């Protein structure tokens, strides 16, 4: 059982549609990070959320950290083909140094 | 500023061999973490080094080891390779590391290891 459950695992949508990716846990995280990974590359950080209830926006991407700091969501508005990739959430537990616990990932494909 | 570099990018080994992977962090970064990424298990934490000391260790067998040098460069070693060790090995660096990982970690492109 993964500490961080990410859903859905796969998502195939048409350009212009909206989507939401969820990341859930029974553990409390001191911070939660969202990454995007392209084939053959390492994950690239999109955002870090650290405060319960925090909402951050990055152009068409909206990230939310749950009030209890156990869950997070990533919402993409009007998806574009360039958004295609693997989206990963990763939580940091307090007293765990730099260790990140990753969700299983959501593979997004946006078709033109 | 150059990003995190990992060498080699690709590697093919046979069962029973050992392998050493290298990671050069971003200049000035002192924390280096290693992760294993497989289709089945996703990204899993191996270990973290800070100032040449292992600060955290994931749930991997003792065949997986690492070290960090005084210039913050890090190596990881896998001995007695098994087929299941085939994976993308990622290295990430950050300035200090710290409680709750609230500072950004920058990932390298990874080393893809294939064990035959």
């Amino acid at each position: 059982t993964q500490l961080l459950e990410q859903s859905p695992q796969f998502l195939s949508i048409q350009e212009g549609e909206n989507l939401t990716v969820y990341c859930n846990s029974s553990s409390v995280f001191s911070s939660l990070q969202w990454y995007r990974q392209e084939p053959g590359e390492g994950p690239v950080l999109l955002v870090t959320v650290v405060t319960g209830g925090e909402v951050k926006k990055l152009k068409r991407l909206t990230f939310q950290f749950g009030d209890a700091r156990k869950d997070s969501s990533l919402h993409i508005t009007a998806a574009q083909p360039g958004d295609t990739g693997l989206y990963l959430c990763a939580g940091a537990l307090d007293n765990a140094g730099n260790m990140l616990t990753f969700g299983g990932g959501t593979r997004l494909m946006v078709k033109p | 500023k150059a990003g995190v570099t990992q060498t080699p990018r690709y590697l093919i080994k046979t069962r029973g061999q050992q392998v050493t992977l290298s990671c050069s962090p971003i200049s000035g970064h002192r924390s280096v973490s290693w992760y294993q990424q497989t289709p089945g298990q996703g990204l899993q934490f191996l270990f973290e080094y800070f100032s040449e000391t292992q600060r955290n260790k994931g749930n991997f067998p003792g065949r997986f080891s690492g070290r960090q040098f005084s210039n913050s460069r890090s190596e990881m070693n896998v001995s007695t390779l098994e087929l299941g060790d085939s994976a993308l090995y990622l290295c990430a660096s950050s300035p200090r590391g710290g409680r709750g990982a609230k500072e950004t970690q920058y990932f390298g492109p990874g080393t893809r290891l294939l064990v035959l």
Side-chain angles (χ1 to χ4, degrees), chain A residues 30-31 33 37 92 94 96-98, chain B residues 35 37 56 94 98-101 105:
Chain A
S30 60
S31 69
Q33 305 178 12
Q37 186 178 20
D94 211 11
N98 249 8
Chain B
Y35 292 82
Q37 187 174 28
N56 275 300
S94 64
R99 182 170 295 189
Q105 291 191 54

